[in-house]
Amino acid sequence: AQSVSQHNHHVILSEAASLELGCNYSYGGTVNLFWYVQYPGQHLQLLLKYFSGDPLVKGIKGFEAEFIKSKFSFNLRKPSVQWSDTAEYFCAVTYTGGFKTIFGAGTRLFVKA
Amino acid sequence: DGGITQSPKYLFRKEGQNVTLSCEQNLNHDAMYWYRQDPGQGLRLIYYSQIVNDFQKGDIAEGYSVSREKKESFPLTVTSAQKNPTAFYLCASSTDRPGMNTEAFFGQGTRLTVV
């Protein structure tokens, strides 16, 4: 079955620390990949997306993600986190030929001021 | 402004009652979805619909029903058969046209509590 795995359920960092959240998806052909973020009390919003082209994708608020096809991975990174990055982050995939978006279980990030 | 509207924001239901959650979008998207969000389990797909008058079960459809009579609307009914209905419910929509951006747009959610 098609699935998405996020490696960490909870991450705690201090401000200015670097962040990397892991995401792997199951093989299913060509994919579209997404990271969504849900800030406390707010609705889900798109952080960044990959459709084709440069496998290093830059999103909002200094986030980036790298698509590594051979590893079926799409890890999210940020060089220096801020307290305001405290949120839950979801990796998601859509397989070409299908259209439903499959989500990972989410990673709760808490950044200490 | 274009977007997805879910109502109500909070909903309380007595055990044994059916309740319907509303979802409306004005993004002209063909595809609509219902997800359930529980702590530590991410978003699990309940039902999805690719076109009007057609819908498919997702991973956790038991105890739920949907309809898609209009492109803009995709209401979800939580029936008394759903054994653990207390959760946060998210509606989403996207285009499903090949080669186009399949990014999903989300509503603000409905928090359902069974009392």
Side-chain angles (χ1 to χ4, degrees):
Chain A
Q2 296 165 341
S3 64
V4 177
S5 298
Q6 291 185 237
H7 305 163
N8 309 96
H9 292 299
H10 293 91
V11 174
I12 301 174
L13 294 173
S14 298
E15 275 196 314
S18 64
L19 170 72
E20 181 160 3
L21 301 183
C23 173
N24 287 90
Y25 62 94
S26 59
Y27 173 75
T30 306
V31 294
N32 297 332
L33 296 157
F34 309 87
W35 275 97
Y36 287 85
V37 61
Q38 188 173 34
Y39 297 103
Q42 297 188 27
H43 62 278
L44 272 167
Q45 55 188 284
L46 185 70
L47 200 56
L48 48 77
K49 60 191 177 188
Y50 171 81
F51 281 73
S52 62
D54 189 345
L56 184 61
V57 178
K58 296 194 182 298
I60 61 172
K61 303 185 180 185
F63 286 90
E64 65 179 31
E66 184 175 13
F67 171 48
I68 303 179
K69 189 175 181 179
S70 61
K71 295 184 178 181
F72 304 102
S73 70
F74 191 55
N75 293 353
L76 180 72
R77 300 194 292 248
K78 185 171 183 179
S80 176
V81 295
Q82 300 172 313
W83 176 81
S84 58
D85 293 323
T86 294
E88 189 160 16
Y89 294 81
F90 294 93
C91 182
V93 62
T94 305
Y95 293 87
T96 300
F99 64 93
K100 60 178 180 174
T101 306
I102 300 169
F103 286 84
T107 298
R108 287 183 182 260
L109 171 65
F110 180 72
V111 180
K112 298 184 290 184
Chain B
D1 288 335
I4 300 178
T5 301
Q6 288 186 242
S7 62
K9 191 172 181 180
Y10 299 96
L11 188 58
F12 295 87
R13 190 197 87 177
K14 291 182 180 179
E15 282 194 28
Q17 287 182 336
N18 293 354
V19 65
T20 298
L21 283 59
S22 170
C23 178
E24 304 276 333
Q25 55 100 358
N26 59 5
L27 299 167
N28 199 32
H29 285 164
D30 292 302
M32 295 188 74
Y33 316 78
W34 275 104
Y35 291 91
R36 172 180 168 142
Q37 185 178 11
D38 296 283
Q41 297 193 59
L43 277 69
R44 293 182 291 167
L45 185 63
I46 304 172
Y47 267 98
Y48 61 100
S49 168
Q50 193 171 2
I51 56 172
V52 174
N53 292 322
D54 183 62
F55 46 83
Q56 305 295 329
K57 291 182 179 180
D59 301 317
I60 55 165
E62 185 175 350
Y64 300 98
S65 66
V66 293
S67 62
R68 187 85 187 277
E69 297 177 1
K70 299 186 300 181
K71 186 176 184 178
E72 302 79 17
S73 179
F74 191 42
L76 172 75
T77 297
V78 184
T79 75
S80 57
Q82 168 49 235
K83 299 200 183 314
N84 185 22
T86 295
F88 189 59
Y89 291 87
L90 283 165
C91 180
S93 72
S94 71
T95 182
D96 68 336
R97 310 234 181 245
M100 289 192 67
N101 188 338
T102 57
E103 168 193 347
F105 290 81
F106 286 85
Q108 291 203 305
T110 294
R111 186 165 298 279
L112 173 64
T113 303
V114 174
V115 297

